[in-house]
Amino acid sequence: MAVYNPASLKAEEFINDGEIRETLAYAEANKNNIELIDRILEKARPKKGEKGWVCSGLTHREASVLLACEIPGKIEEIYKIAEEIKMAYYGNRIVIFAPLYLSNYCVNGCLYCPYHLKNKHIARKKLTQDEVRSEVIALQDMGHKRLAIEAGEDPVNNPIEYILDCIKTIYSVHHKNGDIRRVNVNIAATTVDNYRKLKEAGIGTYILFQETYHKESYLRLHPTGPKHDYDYHTEAMDRAMEGGIDDVGLGVLFGLELYRYEFAGLLMHAEHLEAVHGVGPHTISVPRVKHADDIDPDAFDNGIDDETFAKITACIRLAVPYTGMIISTRESQAVRGRLLRLGISQISGASRTSVGGYTEKERPHDTEQFDVSDQRTLDEVVRWLMENNHVPSFCTACYRAGRTGDRFMALCKSGQILNCCHPNALMTLSEYLEDYASPETKKIGYEMIERELNRIPREKTREIARQNIEDIRNSGRRDFRF
Ligand code: SAM
């Protein structure tokens, strides 16, 4: 029988079923243990250190106790601490991105995904490089600077060379004042060699959702195709890091399996990355299964309600305070609004989940991956964020300055985010307001910028940011390297 070992490179040892089961039993036995819960909450709370806030995070066992806890007052405290951590590390900035679907050709048989091979009524489409260009222009015209590219797994239609060509095309498009400064990649698990090629192509984060950590369910939900190989999929992040990719993004598709199992697995995966590579995941995504062509989310028994979803998000925030958290347009405005307070640091806006969707006037459904709940325009999302006191950020400076992996974590841990990320966020917001915003959004935006500039602690930094924003407004300067 496999033994739990976070530092092992074998999936069955770092995502160890026995350890997860013991964790769930421990959490169940202690869910009313107020003394233990208070100790865990105290450990999770941000503390003021010499250089700024310090958070210790939680182990998967500790966080699982909080997730199991049903004592109302304690749940409120979990939410409160999640908000404190969010504000301590990330402040009120929210990074914005959009997915770009390149191809929905896929040879896998994933039961929850409409791109599965046996789906004969979905239209299959793969963008040509000219079409990639048109999509990127449409995205730049909205104001996007950061993309996550998405593709099905198909070695014939979407080989790595195709993905690399697309990345090159994306970075080459400079339409008016637009450019895409960071391309994150969400493609199927692949080889160290291919990860190396992605790294050389200048990608940001490599994102791969585990879907489920429960091996038996994984094998049943992925009955055919290369994705059926649980170990190959689960060990992908180690290969990505071996290939030189510093930033990796984890996630599970909530609804497929029991959420407490997934939660423990997800945190064990984060602990594994830290143990082996010295740096945890750059991001964690929390998607829930959605209705899609040929897919009924009710066919999966483990759907979670909004309250549980909020609790999961908050408990992840407490467990891995330095990891960015992403929520997509799978969720409604109301759910996104709530989760933003509990630790989310990145959201997508105005997403189209179809191949070629951004160049269509109406949202096309024929090649769509799943229903989008939040269908607002980017301008509406940006304005809504500001009305709720979040600063929309289009910044990609960390990645450009080489602050990835452990260097980003070091910045986070040094408490310098307000002196570094905050001014960059305001400058990129100013670019957005000048180039793409409606008059109403622009007005609210500059009121926010004025308020937020005053929150930058270091005077010199504050003055440079103010001067740069003046330049963006008055001289149309766009040569900053955000
Ligand atoms: N083919 C790649 C892979 O296997 O990882 C790329 C990812 S796919 C384009 C992006 C993600 O969408 C999947 O990892 C899955 O979690 C999610 N997804 C698939 N079907 C979904 C559905 N019906 N509702 C919500 N999310 C879904």
Side-chain angles (χ1 to χ4, degrees):
M1 217 176 76
V3 180
Y4 175 51
N5 176 8
S8 162
L9 291 175
K10 284 196 182 138
E12 61 176 351
E13 290 178 2
F14 65 83
I15 304 295
N16 182 257
D17 180 64
E19 172 60 20
I20 297 184
R21 287 176 198 280
E22 275 180 35
T23 297
L24 299 192
Y26 174 77
E28 190 58 27
N30 285 291
K31 66 180 185 185
N32 292 314
N33 182 343
I34 294 194
E35 215 178 287
L36 175 67
I37 290 167
D38 280 343
R39 260 203 322 272
I40 298 173
L41 289 174
E42 194 42 42
K43 181 179 173 192
R45 218 181 289 283
K47 323 254 175 342
K48 194 104 185 137
E50 262 172 40
K51 289 189 185 159
W53 293 99
V54 181
C55 286
S56 57
L58 298 175
T59 65
H60 62 276
R61 282 209 178 201
E62 292 164 337
S64 293
V65 172
L66 295 187
L67 187 64
C69 166
E70 280 161 4
I71 308 164
K74 299 295 165 199
I75 297 174
E76 287 316 309
E77 220 174 316
I78 293 171
Y79 290 163
K80 197 165 153 276
I81 296 174
E83 198 168 345
E84 283 170 16
I85 295 175
K86 161 82 175 30
M87 291 310 283
Y89 281 119
Y90 296 90
N92 54 349
R93 289 168 308 104
I94 298 291
V95 166
I96 294 188
F97 76 99
L100 171 58
Y101 281 74
L102 301 177
S103 166
N104 66 355
Y105 282 95
C106 193
V107 296
N108 285 315
C110 315
L111 297 190
Y112 49 83
C113 180
Y115 292 172
H116 68 83
L117 184 64
K118 285 195 185 140
N119 186 355
K120 297 296 177 209
H121 40 89
I122 194 166
R124 298 288 169 175
K125 194 169 175 197
K126 167 185 168 182
L127 298 179
T128 63
Q129 295 310 311
D130 270 348
E131 287 168 332
V132 171
R133 218 163 278 123
S134 305
E135 288 280 291
V136 171
I137 288 173
L139 283 156
Q140 289 184 2
D141 273 344
M142 280 187 242
H144 278 293
K145 303 279 188 235
R146 179 188 288 243
L147 300 182
I149 55 173
E150 312 273 341
E153 179 167 16
D154 185 328
V156 174
N157 286 298
N158 324 325
I160 193 73
E161 290 72 25
Y162 170 70
I163 305 290
L164 296 170
D165 281 349
C166 292
I167 296 170
K168 212 168 169 185
T169 302
I170 294 168
Y171 281 135
S172 75
V173 179
H174 303 285
H175 175 65
K176 298 184 180 163
N177 281 340
D179 65 322
I180 299 299
R181 297 166 174 172
R182 176 165 175 143
V183 177
N184 295 332
V185 173
N186 183 6
I187 60 165
T190 185
T191 60
V192 174
D193 245 18
N194 286 347
Y195 286 125
R196 197 165 287 125
K197 289 176 186 163
L198 288 171
K199 165 78 183 173
E200 282 160 10
I203 71 159
T205 307
Y206 171 66
I207 302 162
L208 181 70
F209 299 160
Q210 178 64 29
E211 321 299 6
T212 173
Y213 283 96
H214 190 283
K215 187 167 183 175
E216 237 171 78
S217 301
Y218 183 96
L219 297 177
R220 183 177 50 77
L221 289 159
H222 306 94
T224 53
K227 195 164 171 178
H228 179 71
D229 188 337
Y230 176 87
D231 290 351
Y232 189 74
H233 188 82
T234 310
E235 293 160 6
M237 295 314 193
D238 297 300
R239 290 194 302 279
M241 287 194 157
E242 196 185 332
I245 294 176
D246 291 330
D247 289 340
V248 297
L250 304 180
V252 291
L253 188 52
F254 284 103
L256 302 180
E257 241 305 330
L258 294 174
Y259 70 88
R260 291 186 191 174
Y261 192 101
E262 305 292 25
F263 177 82
L266 185 63
L267 294 184
M268 284 162 71
H269 202 168
E271 288 165 8
H272 160 71
L273 295 175
E274 181 97 44
V276 176
H277 308 281
V279 54
H282 187 68
T283 55
I284 288 183
S285 302
V286 285
R288 289 195 281 190
V289 185
K290 293 280 301 177
H291 171 266
D293 177 69
D294 210 32
I295 306 294
D296 171 9
D298 294 336
F300 304 96
D301 309 335
N302 298 302
I304 47 173
D305 58 32
D306 292 350
E307 202 50 51
T308 309
F309 194 42
K311 201 169 160 199
I312 292 171
T313 306
C315 288
I316 295 176
R317 182 68 304 144
L318 266 57
V320 283
Y322 308 115
T323 297
M325 286 182 72
I326 303 178
I327 190 100
S328 74
T329 54
R330 289 176 183 85
E331 300 299 335
S332 65
Q333 172 178 341
V335 169
R336 298 205 319 157
R338 179 162 188 218
L339 298 196
L340 282 174
R341 306 224 168 275
L342 300 178
I344 296 294
S345 54
Q346 286 191 31
I347 63 169
S348 46
S351 304
R352 296 261 163 108
T353 66
S354 42
V355 182
Y358 293 107
T359 37
E360 305 279 340
K361 208 167 167 40
E362 295 298 320
R363 193 163 64 91
H365 295 289
D366 60 337
T367 61
E368 200 168 52
Q369 196 190 20
F370 49 80
D371 280 356
V372 166
S373 295
D374 186 342
Q375 298 184 13
R376 291 172 294 169
T377 63
L378 187 59
D379 189 71
E380 287 167 334
V381 172
V382 167
R383 188 162 64 236
W384 166 76
L385 284 172
M386 297 190 298
E387 283 165 353
N388 289 282
N389 201 31
H390 302 289
V391 177
S393 173
F394 293 87
C395 182
T396 60
C398 268
Y399 144 76
R400 301 175 143 246
R403 276 191 306 268
T404 55
D406 52 351
R407 278 150 305 206
F408 172 73
M409 294 290 164
L411 174 77
C412 227
K413 291 178 187 176
S414 70
Q416 283 306 306
I417 292 248
L418 256 187
N419 269 320
C420 183
C421 302
H422 209 60
N424 283 343
L426 297 178
M427 292 184 266
T428 58
L429 175 59
S430 168
E431 285 185 332
Y432 173 83
L433 297 176
E434 288 302 319
D435 294 339
Y436 308 104
S438 65
E440 175 67 4
T441 303
K442 191 167 172 177
K443 180 172 171 289
I444 295 173
Y446 277 115
E447 286 163 7
M448 166 162 258
I449 287 178
E450 205 37 57
R451 274 196 316 275
E452 294 293 325
L453 275 171
N454 292 325
R455 293 186 54 231
I456 298 171
R458 208 183 287 142
E459 195 187 334
K460 192 163 169 229
T461 312
R462 192 163 60 235
E463 284 322 306
I464 293 172
R466 202 182 286 281
Q467 186 54 54
N468 285 345
I469 289 172
E470 281 298 301
D471 285 355
I472 289 166
R473 296 186 78 167
N474 301 327
S475 67
R477 228 185 114 187
R478 294 291 181 277
D479 57 349
F480 303 100
R481 308 307 285 168
F482 298 128

